[in-house]
Every structure is written in structure tokens, then in C-alpha cells.
Amino acid sequence: METKIDEIAEGVFRLSTFVPEIAPPAGFTFNQFLLMADEPLLFHCGFRGMFPTASAAVARLLPLERLRWISFGHVEADECGAMNQWLAVAPNAQVAHGQTACMVSLNDLSDCAPRILGDGEVVDLGGKRVRYIDTAHVPHGWEAGILYEEVTGTLLCGDLFSHTGNGPAVVDTDIVGPAIAAEEMFLSSSLTPTTGRTIRGLAELAPRTLALMHGSSLSGRAGDALVNLGDYYDQRVRRTLAELDAAFGENPA
Ligand SMILES: [Fe+2]
Ligand SMILES: [Fe+2]
């Protein structure tokens, strides 16, 4: 297993570990993002089993003990499995997440008390600023949230737009089509009446780069991609409601 490093925006490094055995034949990437700042932040911890290669990659960019913040989208093994391994090698680091994640899981799971971020709260990292946004159940998990780095305009999307393959670190081509194809295969997203609206709402941040946990990041036309992905989920909700109507009749109550 090897972790590749690419700078996808100024001081935003993508650490990518490709696993060909997942979703063959295309395979699947697991990406972490290191934000270089006075208080460096790592977004996604990775699996526990990936920690040796991922931490070696981060150590090529900065001494691990300089890490100040650790965050991620939601509570799953690829997002936060190695959380306590990072905390062990970075004694100045603290996990930061939303109120739901901390109260439901992280107050118990994290070896050090996490910092609770309010919806919309901005943390000044010194040279970079991250805004935390609650996105409950988007893409999945009650505790789900997203970070937006305001200086570079980088939206740390987590599992949104997940797609298979080991493409370039960053592309300026369509990522919505591949994301829909992967979603139709994995069915990993929570489908709620507000899924589409929540995703489209992120376009109001006017991000310049979408940093994806699984797949190539996007540079340019990021707002359009968010709107189109949100529309796709609305269509799926309508499709599902139509199927329910067909099966049970309209307004069964
Ligand atoms: Fe996930
Ligand atoms: Fe993930």
C-alpha cells in the first residue's frame, strides 16, 4: 500500500491511498487532506490499517507533532478509524467536530476530549480558516458535517461525489456522472427529502475546489457540480415516491 501526495490548492495536500481490491476492476481511493497553516489540520484519519503509510506521507510534509487539528466528515472506519493513532503521535492535536458527532460518539471514542464546533463556526488556523457546517444525514450519518477552507475556497466534501478508479489528483472535467454511477452501485447515501437541498446549499459557499475522499478532486465549476448532484438526489427521491405511490396508492394515510 502506497500513499501519494499532491498539492491540489495552495497549502492543501491530498494524500491518496489506492486499494485495487475494493470495487474491482476500477478500484477505490481513500484520500486524506492536510491543510498547511500555523495550526495544521488533517481531514480524515483513514483506517487503522492505513496509518503506517498515511502517517509516513504526512511526516514527509511536516513533523507529526506539529499537527494541531484532526477532523473528518462522519464516524466510520475510513473517516476516523486511526483517530487515536494520530492523537498518540501528535500530542498537540485535538479532534474537532460538530455537536452531534461529539455527543453521540467522539466524547467516548476519542482518547482526548474533542472540541465541539457549532454549525457555521469558523476556526482560524493562522493562514487558513475552516468553517464547520452541519449536514445531518448527508451523505450519511446523523453526525455528518463538512469543512470549508475559506482562504483557498476548498470544500472538504468527505464522501460526497465518491467515485471509483485511480484518476488524477485533481480534474476539471465532470465528476457528477462518475459519482452517480458509484452511488447507483453502492447505494451509500441517505435518501431524505432534504438531501438535494442540503447539497445545493453548499454551492452558496462558492467553492473553487471540491476535495473528495474517494476519487479525483475537482477544480473549477464546483458550484455547478453541487447543484447537479443535489438535483440528482431530488430525482431519486421523486422516483422512489412514485414507486411507493404505484405500489400502495397515493396518500395511503
Ligand atoms: Fe462514509
Ligand atoms: Fe469515506
Side-chain angles (χ1 to χ4, degrees):
M1 214 181 279
E2 179 202 358
T3 300
K4 288 190 305 182
I5 303 174
D6 288 279
E7 188 172 16
I8 62 162
E10 193 176 342
V12 177
F13 289 88
R14 175 187 188 259
L15 313 160
S16 184
T17 309
F18 178 60
V19 181
E21 294 81 11
I22 297 182
F28 206 51
T29 52
F30 292 85
N31 305 318
Q32 299 166 245
F33 295 93
L34 179 66
L35 306 188
M36 291 298 213
D38 294 343
E39 299 186 8
L41 181 146
L42 179 70
F43 194 69
H44 302 143
C45 304
F47 291 112
R48 291 188 302 159
M50 279 182 184
F51 180 73
T53 177
S55 59
V58 171
R60 300 217 299 271
L61 297 168
L62 87 177
L64 295 181
E65 58 269 22
R66 269 207 61 218
L67 268 182
R68 176 64 184 89
W69 298 107
I70 292 170
S71 192
F72 42 88
H74 47 272
V75 177
E76 279 182 330
D78 58 336
E79 268 81 2
C80 65
M83 171 175 63
N84 290 323
Q85 289 159 289
W86 288 105
L87 290 172
V89 298
N92 298 316
Q94 186 179 16
V95 171
H97 213 300
Q99 192 166 27
T100 306
C102 292
M103 287 174 53
V104 173
S105 296
L106 300 177
N107 283 336
D108 182 68
L109 293 178
S110 173
D111 282 346
C112 305
R115 167 155 170 193
I116 298 173
L117 302 175
D119 184 25
E121 183 173 347
V122 175
V123 179
D124 191 340
L125 305 178
K128 290 200 171 41
R129 287 187 312 274
V130 287
R131 178 182 297 273
Y132 172 78
I133 300 160
D134 270 328
T135 61
H137 303 289
V138 175
H140 42 244
W142 179 23
E143 73 286 352
I146 267 175
L147 282 186
Y148 179 57
E149 201 292 299
E150 297 185 332
V151 174
T152 59
T154 302
L155 188 65
L156 297 157
C157 291
D159 287 348
L160 284 177
F161 298 98
S162 287
H163 54 271
T164 60
N166 192 17
V170 59
V171 297
D172 60 2
T173 51
D174 174 49
I175 61 167
V176 179
I180 292 172
E183 171 63 21
E184 306 263 340
M185 178 167 58
F186 295 136
L187 301 176
S188 65
S189 302
S190 297
L191 203 58
T192 80
T194 55
T195 302
R197 187 168 62 198
T198 301
I199 296 171
R200 280 192 299 274
L202 298 171
E204 290 167 18
L205 297 164
R208 297 191 289 279
T209 298
L210 301 180
L212 275 58
M213 182 175 197
H214 308 287
S216 301
S217 293
L218 177 71
S219 176
R221 298 178 63 83
D224 288 351
L226 287 160
V227 169
N228 292 338
L229 188 71
D231 288 349
Y232 158 73
Y233 281 106
D234 277 353
Q235 286 160 17
R236 267 193 61 201
V237 168
R238 284 196 207 98
R239 205 163 75 204
T240 304
L241 289 174
E243 287 164 7
L244 286 171
D245 283 347
F248 300 109
E250 215 164 334
N251 300 318

